Amino acid sequence: MTTEIDEHITIIPRPEHNISRSDISDNALKVLYRLNKSGFEAYLVGGGVRDLLLGKKPKDFDITTNATPEQIRKLFRNCRLVGRRFRLAHIMFGPEVIEVATFRGHHDQNLPEDKNMSQQAQNGMLLRDNIFGSIEDDAIRRDFTVNSLYYNIDDFSVRDYVGGLQDLKDGIIRMIGDPETRYREDPVRMLRAVRFACKLDMRIEPNTAQPIYQLAPLLREIPSARLFEESLKLLQAGQGYSTYKMLIEYHLFDHLFPVISSRFSEHNDSPMEKIIEQVLKNTDFRLKNDKRVNPAFLFAAMLWYPVTEHAEKLSQEGGLAYYDAFALAMNDVLDDQCRSIAIPKRITTTMRDIWQLQLRLPRRQGRRASKLMEHPKFRAAFDLLELRANVERRNELQELAIWWDEYQVANNTKQREMISELGNVPTRKRHRPRKPSTAASRKPNKSQES
């Protein structure tokens, strides 16, 4: 590429880069044009520009401008302002949301007592960041150089203030500014470094990587609801397995899934570790083939062995029936996991269904098999059964998975034959509490009370 370079900026003119407006969302273009025609600077920025330069299709299109959030709202009737920590404008176009941010400025531009504009905790974490500045300030305030590239709607050029173009060419994820300071401002940047490295098949620059090992515990200070959203981006974006391995390498996985990491084996060959590897690879494969994935199934598979291990412990130590111990174990494991990642109830409810069906799938006599297949979560439960059979290699489990695989596609006659071949296994009698005798249940008379 031929570029125009001055002391602080690299500009690539329109004829010398590969970004075409035909590859940009029509709604994003509407926002860019209206801001520009209203006298404001307007740029496509971040991952959208990065992906377009790499020849990829962006997932979303973010815009930055020198217009304030209130000025943006006056221009767009379909706008709503969101966020306290970062004040943003969301322009609503049906299901598509175009996010517009005002240029960020430096914190020392603000009076320290004005906590509505900017606020920083003693540990360096940004609690609020609503100081506005110039595009040059904004470029330095972004996280990684490859995410700090600007497409100018005024002349269709690409602007680079921090060396992002060269890092994009070299395949490097590099933090803008001092990495330790930037991680302390927002510890989630450590997760983003890993995510972008895996997503873009790049490597994390050594100075950017070095502080992560030490600062990983800062993730405990991030709200668990935010970490849930980040976990989906990490594990359900198409590079889940490689991301999982890198999270372990940088000691970040421990703070996202402590229930799992505390059970890692010395040689990484336990059934739990094998099933996590397989479910992540399967998830990546489905996403690459444009198939749907369900976070409930992913988390159910990842946490299955912690649940069963805890259930066995409760059963043995507390003398509980296994089904009762299993119910308690589900509660305990989910409670522990949700302290770090707040999995929503709609997902944990599905996870419980998938887990409980594992106990019911071996019981197929009579009409049980057909009733089980009518359960809305049967298919997910069967998929987990197959995963378990593949990693455990137990004959009993493998035969059960094969049986259910054949039963699902068999006609009614064949299904009846398969049920009859199982034989009649006697059902366990349920012991009901004995009714109290008449004498025992009779209220005592006055003489007895005395």
Side-chain angles (χ1 to χ4, degrees), residues 115-252:
K115 293 184 179 180
N116 289 322
M117 296 289 286
S118 176
Q119 191 175 359
Q120 200 164 8
Q122 291 183 349
N123 61 8
M125 187 183 301
L126 282 177
L127 304 178
R128 197 160 296 157
D129 183 17
N130 289 309
I131 302 175
F132 305 135
S134 66
I135 186 173
E136 290 84 3
D137 298 329
D138 189 78
I140 295 172
R141 289 287 304 132
R142 294 189 175 271
D143 50 10
F144 305 106
T145 59
V146 296
N147 290 339
S148 189
L149 298 168
Y150 297 75
Y151 175 77
N152 187 359
I153 197 62
D154 189 42
D155 61 7
F156 315 122
S157 65
V158 173
R159 293 173 168 240
D160 176 15
Y161 296 85
V162 292
L165 287 166
Q166 188 61 48
D167 284 345
L168 199 63
K169 179 181 178 182
D170 295 339
I172 293 175
I173 301 298
R174 186 192 309 273
M175 181 66 75
I176 300 169
D178 176 60
E180 180 172 345
T181 301
R182 304 305 305 281
Y183 290 142
R184 289 188 180 278
E185 287 177 353
D186 185 2
V188 169
R189 287 174 177 150
M190 294 183 285
L191 300 179
R192 286 168 61 83
V194 169
R195 177 158 64 90
F196 290 134
C198 294
K199 175 182 178 179
L200 303 173
D201 194 21
M202 294 182 175
R203 65 185 186 280
I204 303 176
E205 182 263 338
N207 289 332
T208 300
Q210 191 274 329
I212 295 178
Y213 302 96
Q214 176 189 353
L215 300 180
L218 290 177
L219 288 175
R220 297 172 187 166
E221 301 175 21
I222 300 298
S224 56
R226 187 181 178 199
L227 288 183
F228 169 73
E229 297 298 333
E230 291 297 326
S231 71
L232 296 187
K233 295 176 184 177
L234 290 162
L235 302 178
Q236 288 200 314
Q239 302 81 30
Y241 179 65
S242 60
T243 303
Y244 160 71
K245 300 298 285 185
M246 191 175 287
L247 288 171
I248 293 174
E249 176 187 348
Y250 286 107
H251 304 163
L252 294 167

Side-chain angles (χ1 to χ4, degrees), residues 376-393:
K377 300 300 181 291
F378 168 79
R379 184 65 207 187
F382 170 72
D383 289 343
L384 178 55
L385 173 66
E386 276 200 319
L387 281 175
R388 292 170 53 211
N390 288 336
V391 301
E392 292 184 35
R393 299 292 181 184

Side-chain angles (χ1 to χ4, degrees), residues 238 279-294 297 379 383:
V279 74
L280 288 172
K281 287 180 176 179
N282 292 352
T283 299
D284 292 345
F285 178 81
R286 290 184 64 84
L287 289 168
K288 285 179 174 61
N289 288 276
D290 297 321
K291 294 183 178 180
R292 294 178 60 185
V293 294
N294 188 342
F297 179 77
R379 184 65 207 187
D383 289 343

Side-chain angles (χ1 to χ4, degrees), residues 79-134:
C79 171
R80 67 177 184 183
L81 302 185
V82 300
R84 289 182 58 194
R85 185 166 172 262
F86 299 108
R87 198 73 167 150
L88 299 168
H90 281 179
I91 316 295
M92 319 297 291
F93 295 93
E96 184 177 16
V97 178
I98 304 300
E99 187 172 278
V100 184
T102 305
F103 294 149
R104 302 288 170 196
H106 295 296
H107 292 275
D108 55 11
Q109 295 174 1
N110 185 55
L111 294 174
E113 63 270 16
D114 189 358
K115 293 184 179 180
N116 289 322
M117 296 289 286
S118 176
Q119 191 175 359
Q120 200 164 8
Q122 291 183 349
N123 61 8
M125 187 183 301
L126 282 177
L127 304 178
R128 197 160 296 157
D129 183 17
N130 289 309
I131 302 175
F132 305 135
S134 66

Side-chain angles (χ1 to χ4, degrees), residues 255-436:
H255 304 288
L256 297 176
F257 295 94
V259 173
I260 293 173
S261 63
S262 64
R263 291 171 166 84
F264 280 156
S265 63
E266 182 179 356
H267 300 292
N268 305 316
D269 58 354
S270 68
M272 181 192 72
E273 288 158 294
K274 290 178 180 179
I275 206 169
I276 291 173
E277 176 180 339
Q278 192 58 58
V279 74
L280 288 172
K281 287 180 176 179
N282 292 352
T283 299
D284 292 345
F285 178 81
R286 290 184 64 84
L287 289 168
K288 285 179 174 61
N289 288 276
D290 297 321
K291 294 183 178 180
R292 294 178 60 185
V293 294
N294 188 342
F297 179 77
L298 173 64
F299 291 138
M302 293 176 69
L303 293 168
W304 166 252
Y305 288 103
V307 168
T308 55
E309 179 183 314
H310 189 48
E312 290 287 352
K313 182 178 178 182
L314 290 174
S315 179
Q316 293 175 7
E317 295 181 358
L320 297 172
Y322 185 77
Y323 288 100
D324 295 332
F326 189 82
L328 290 174
M330 288 193 296
N331 292 338
D332 290 346
V333 169
L334 285 172
D335 286 347
D336 288 346
Q337 181 56 59
C338 287
R339 290 190 185 97
S340 52
I341 292 179
I343 305 174
K345 186 175 181 180
R346 70 181 188 277
I347 293 178
T348 59
T349 298
T350 301
M351 293 169 64
R352 290 174 187 273
D353 285 343
I354 294 171
W355 288 336
Q356 288 170 334
L357 283 169
Q358 302 305 301
L359 305 188
R360 295 175 60 189
L361 286 171
R363 302 164 65 187
R364 298 154 285 167
Q365 287 76 16
R367 299 188 60 188
R368 288 174 178 166
S370 60
K371 287 184 177 180
L372 280 173
M373 280 186 59
E374 294 173 1
H375 195 290
K377 300 300 181 291
F378 168 79
R379 184 65 207 187
F382 170 72
D383 289 343
L384 178 55
L385 173 66
E386 276 200 319
L387 281 175
R388 292 170 53 211
N390 288 336
V391 301
E392 292 184 35
R393 299 292 181 184
R394 288 193 289 119
N395 288 338
E396 179 185 353
L397 205 56
Q398 289 176 324
E399 290 173 1
L400 180 62
I402 292 171
W403 190 94
W404 274 113
D405 188 40
E406 294 176 354
Y407 185 82
Q408 292 175 72
V409 297
N411 58 33
N412 291 338
T413 302
K414 177 62 176 176
Q415 286 181 343
R416 286 193 293 270
E417 291 176 359
M418 293 176 69
I419 295 296
S420 64
E421 288 172 2
L422 292 173
N424 293 320
V425 178
T427 57
R428 296 166 65 184
K429 293 183 179 180
R430 295 182 181 178
H431 296 283
R432 297 179 180 177
R434 296 173 60 186
K435 292 183 179 180

